[in-house]
């Protein structure tokens, strides 16, 4: 799964890399947790636009928005047929921007958190889905992160990892007019382990109340 991640880069760098429109500023986030708002990028097939979406998908047909707490992740297997995700998979696909994510490894001394990043230290994009929920005058635009089987970097920590998209696949993934299900599902695979690395971090990350720069430092350097 993917239950915590970071986005510490400034908006100008992100816009330059991902080529999207966005008018507001963002603050560095070192411990983004479910139900919080995350920076996502969508497309109308021609232009990319950034938006802040609530993490935890609330399908348009849901009776209670609290269902979003259970849908922070969507398994890639069968995503085109599952009632909670199939509608968004058709034409509400997005990038969720990040520069690292956390997972916890079980050890004899308890769970040790690790941060996973790119070796080149650049931001990257999770494959996401979004939806718009409206009821009784309330509107929630929310998202979920798609997960897949682990690669060689993540497998000894967790049995799932978020789908990280290749840059050349961004437009295909976000295009709401593209509907080739088999092609889209072919993108939902483990990212190249050769481009990733991990390191242990402080257990301070265990609490979503902690959103400190120290959280992204290697444990032995704190």
């Amino acid at each position: 799964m993917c239950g915590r991640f970071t986005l510490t880069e400034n908006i100008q760098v992100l816009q330059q890399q991902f080529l999207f429109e966005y008018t507001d500023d963002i603050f560095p986030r070192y411990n983004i947790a479910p139900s919080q708002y995350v920076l996502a990028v969508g497309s109308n097939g021609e232009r990319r636009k950034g938006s802040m979406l609530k993490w935890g998908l609330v399908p348009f047909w849901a009776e209670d928005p609290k269902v979003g707490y259970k849908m922070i992740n969507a398994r890639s297997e069968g995503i085109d047929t599952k009632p909670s995700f199939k509608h968004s998979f058709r034409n509400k696909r997005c990038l969720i921007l990040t520069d690292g994510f956390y997972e916890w490894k079980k050890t004899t001394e308890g769970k040790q958190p690790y941060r996973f990043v790119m070796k080149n230290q650049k931001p990257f994009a999770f494959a996401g889905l979004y939806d718009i929920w409206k009821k009784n005058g309330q509107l929630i635009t929310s998202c979920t992160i798609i997960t897949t089987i682990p690669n060689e970097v993540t497998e000894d920590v967790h049995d799932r990892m978020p789908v990280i998209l290749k840059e050349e696949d961004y437009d295909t993934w976000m295009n709401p007019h593209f509907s080739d299900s088999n092609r889209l599902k072919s993108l939902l695979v483990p990212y190249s382990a050769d481009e990733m690395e991990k390191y242990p971090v402080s257990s301070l990350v265990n609490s979503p109340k902690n959103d400190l720069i120290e959280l992204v430092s290697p444990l032995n350097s704190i």
Side-chain angles (χ1 to χ4, degrees):
M1 64 176 294
C2 178
R4 302 283 180 79
F5 65 98
T6 62
L7 185 59
T8 64
E9 194 57 86
N10 67 61
I11 189 63
Q12 290 78 21
V13 170
L14 294 172
Q15 286 181 293
Q16 184 176 21
Q17 180 175 336
F18 295 98
L19 304 175
F20 64 99
E21 300 174 5
Y22 193 72
T23 56
D24 297 325
D25 200 359
I26 60 171
F27 298 96
R29 297 296 311 280
Y30 305 100
N31 196 8
I32 300 171
S35 81
Q36 297 176 354
Y37 280 80
V38 302
L39 180 60
V41 176
S43 172
N44 61 5
E46 297 179 358
R47 296 161 53 194
R48 300 179 184 180
K49 183 178 179 180
S51 302
M52 297 300 291
L53 307 182
K54 189 173 184 178
W55 185 13
L57 191 77
V58 182
F60 72 92
W61 46 260
E63 290 296 322
D64 190 336
K66 291 181 180 179
V67 70
Y69 291 109
K70 300 179 180 180
M71 290 198 281
I72 63 170
N73 292 156
R75 294 176 69 93
S76 59
E77 298 87 348
I79 197 169
D80 55 336
T81 60
K82 294 176 182 177
S84 297
F85 307 118
K86 64 180 182 180
H87 298 288
S88 292
F89 181 71
R90 288 173 190 163
N91 57 15
K92 291 184 174 65
R93 301 179 299 269
C94 63
L95 309 180
I96 297 175
L97 305 191
T98 181
D99 49 25
F101 63 94
Y102 301 106
E103 292 293 358
W104 283 255
K105 181 177 183 178
K106 293 181 180 179
T107 71
T108 56
E109 299 178 354
K111 290 186 176 182
Q112 172 61 54
Y114 282 79
R115 185 172 184 241
F116 297 83
V117 297
M118 293 296 158
K119 288 180 179 178
N120 63 13
Q121 302 302 308
K122 287 187 176 182
F124 50 98
F126 297 140
L129 303 177
Y130 72 94
D131 210 341
I132 302 171
W133 182 87
K134 299 178 182 178
K135 191 171 184 180
N136 300 326
Q138 188 178 7
L139 185 150
I140 299 174
T141 305
S142 59
C143 63
T144 188
I145 296 170
I146 301 175
T147 67
T148 185
I149 59 175
N151 62 17
E152 293 87 347
V153 174
T154 60
E155 64 184 359
D156 69 325
V157 177
H158 202 279
D159 61 359
R160 303 290 293 180
M161 70 174 292
V163 172
I164 299 169
L165 293 170
K166 298 177 182 177
E167 185 176 353
E168 59 263 32
D169 294 325
Y170 290 169
D171 285 330
T172 298
W173 179 254
M174 289 188 290
N175 188 345
H177 310 299
F178 187 80
S179 58
D180 185 335
S181 179
N182 289 331
R183 169 63 177 139
L184 292 167
K185 288 190 293 183
S186 74
L187 306 181
L188 307 180
V189 294
Y191 197 75
S192 171
D194 293 338
E195 298 180 36
M196 296 179 63
E197 61 186 8
K198 68 176 182 289
Y199 57 88
V201 296
S202 169
S203 60
L204 287 172
V205 75
N206 294 354
S207 172
K209 295 180 180 179
N210 297 325
D211 193 3
L212 312 167
I213 192 171
E214 289 82 4
L215 299 185
V216 301
S217 298
L219 185 61
N220 57 12
S221 69
I222 297 176

